[in-house]
Amino acid sequence: RALLGVRGAEAAAFLQGLLTNDVTQLVAEGDAPRALYAHALNVQGRCLYDVILYRLHRSTAEEPHILLECDSSVLDSIQKHLKLYKIRRKVTITPCPDLSLWAVIPGEQPGDASSLPKCADQALLLTPDPRAEVMGWRLIAKKGANLSEIIPGSQVGDIQDYHRHRYKQGIPEGVKDLPPGVALPLESNLAFMNGISFTKGCYIGQELTARTHHMGVIRKRLLPVSLPGPLPAGGVPEGAEILTQAGKRAGRFRAGAGELGLALLRLAHLGEPLCVRLPGDRLELRATAPEWWPKAAAK
């Protein structure tokens, strides 16, 4: 992941017209959130970038300063996207190579998910992950900061630990999970992850998204999947077709890490045994609805 600084008097108003969530919350008076999840869509209503916004300014008296977290592989293209729409707005957009971003994942002990021992003086920002409580916290610090001092008792994990955790929880992130110009926001569970406002007014890609929401019919969703059997050497190919036991098309594998991953599946086949057909092989696959989803969401 990479960070961009968006700063200036019109920073929130500028981002408001480009993103699915209500960015004005970040600059509102009172108990404003420190972080906000959103997607930037194309004009056809398909996902271009998944982003998390962070409020760095402490009060409404200060100049708005928002950090934008995105997939590091699209850092250049998202800068071009933002500058294309900036026009004459009083906003500066700059990368932040001097900052480091950390995911703080809850441990296995009871209470680990609700309390976080911390000494936040060294942290520029430490806030709950806005997507889901199971994702813990987001920490932004200066490059080279001592993590064990900021969060006593913590252990530095491997990036694969993080990806396995979010695949297990069914949280998509980045261009592999949300292919630009392909993924649809509501099928990607954007509403479940607090990433969209249906009352904020116009933004790019809003029309199709709002129509889908108000029709109330979403037949396919991104779901966490597990592959209990031995995997082929290269893993499951992205985009591999998933079938029911009767050979009916159920969806497609999106991306994964080891035996865990995400697949875009028809909800009608959620409880059924599924499989992925590969050349000369057939892998059993199991899909589940995450526990953090709203009740009845998988119906």
Side-chain angles (χ1 to χ4, degrees):
R1 306 292 278 179
L3 292 165
L4 275 176
V6 182
R7 195 167 193 163
E10 296 181 276
F14 165 60
L15 293 171
Q16 180 78 337
L18 299 176
L19 299 176
T20 55
N21 216 335
D22 186 358
V23 185
T24 60
Q25 294 177 71
L26 286 178
V27 293
E29 290 188 22
D31 193 20
R34 295 300 303 274
L36 210 63
Y37 179 57
H39 285 185
L41 309 180
N42 64 15
V43 291
Q44 288 82 31
R46 293 180 183 268
C47 178
L48 287 178
Y49 313 106
D50 63 306
V51 302
I52 300 179
L53 304 178
Y54 303 97
R55 173 172 54 87
L56 282 193
H57 57 278
R58 297 280 173 181
S59 73
T60 52
E62 296 177 48
E63 179 185 65
H65 188 185
I66 295 168
L67 284 182
L68 183 149
E69 172 198 326
C70 64
D71 190 309
S72 57
S73 68
V74 297
L75 184 62
D76 289 343
S77 65
I78 200 168
Q79 282 186 82
K80 287 175 186 168
H81 180 74
L82 294 175
K83 285 173 180 175
L84 178 68
Y85 290 99
K86 186 185 142 189
I87 312 174
R88 291 195 181 90
R89 288 193 183 271
K90 297 185 176 103
V91 174
T92 57
I93 302 161
T94 50
C96 306
D98 58 326
L99 298 180
S100 60
L101 173 73
W102 297 83
V104 185
I105 300 299
E108 300 298 326
Q109 299 301 317
D112 278 355
S114 57
S115 62
L116 187 65
K118 59 186 179 291
C119 172
D121 296 343
Q122 288 190 55
L124 200 61
L125 186 138
L126 180 60
T127 185
D129 191 308
R131 298 172 294 184
E133 188 178 336
V134 291
M135 289 306 294
W137 302 265
R138 280 315 221 224
L139 167 67
I140 296 170
K142 292 281 184 185
K143 276 267 166 70
N146 189 331
L147 273 294
S148 61
E149 286 182 15
I150 297 176
I151 305 171
S154 62
Q155 294 176 315
V156 176
D158 186 272
I159 187 68
Q160 289 308 316
D161 297 339
Y162 168 72
H163 290 310
R164 286 177 60 80
H165 176 76
R166 65 178 187 80
Y167 281 134
K168 188 177 178 181
Q169 300 297 343
I171 302 282
E173 181 181 286
V175 295
K176 285 193 173 184
D177 299 347
L178 300 163
V182 174
L184 286 163
L186 298 184
E187 289 184 351
S188 305
N189 307 320
L190 186 63
F192 294 171
M193 294 191 288
N194 312 304
I196 188 165
S197 166
F198 294 107
T199 57
K200 64 171 272 187
C202 293
Y203 56 88
I204 294 170
Q206 182 226 2
E207 189 177 339
L208 177 69
T209 310
R211 189 163 69 239
T212 304
H213 169 69
H214 291 300
M215 283 170 64
V217 180
I218 298 167
R219 293 187 173 86
K220 292 184 288 185
R221 285 192 181 275
L222 269 187
L223 289 158
V225 294
S226 58
L227 298 118
L231 297 175
V236 180
E238 292 162 21
E241 193 165 62
I242 296 171
L243 305 171
T244 66
Q245 296 291 66
K248 196 173 177 183
R249 290 179 182 176
R252 290 192 178 275
F253 186 80
R254 186 62 66 76
E259 78 283 6
L260 300 172
L262 291 172
L264 184 67
L265 292 170
R266 292 185 179 278
L267 292 173
H269 301 304
L270 180 55
E272 299 178 24
L274 301 169
C275 65
V276 180
R277 276 194 193 150
L278 303 174
D281 201 1
R282 171 187 166 117
L283 292 176
E284 301 298 315
L285 177 143
R286 189 170 64 250
T288 52
E291 288 184 12
W292 57 269
W293 275 16
K295 296 293 176 257
K299 293 180 180 176

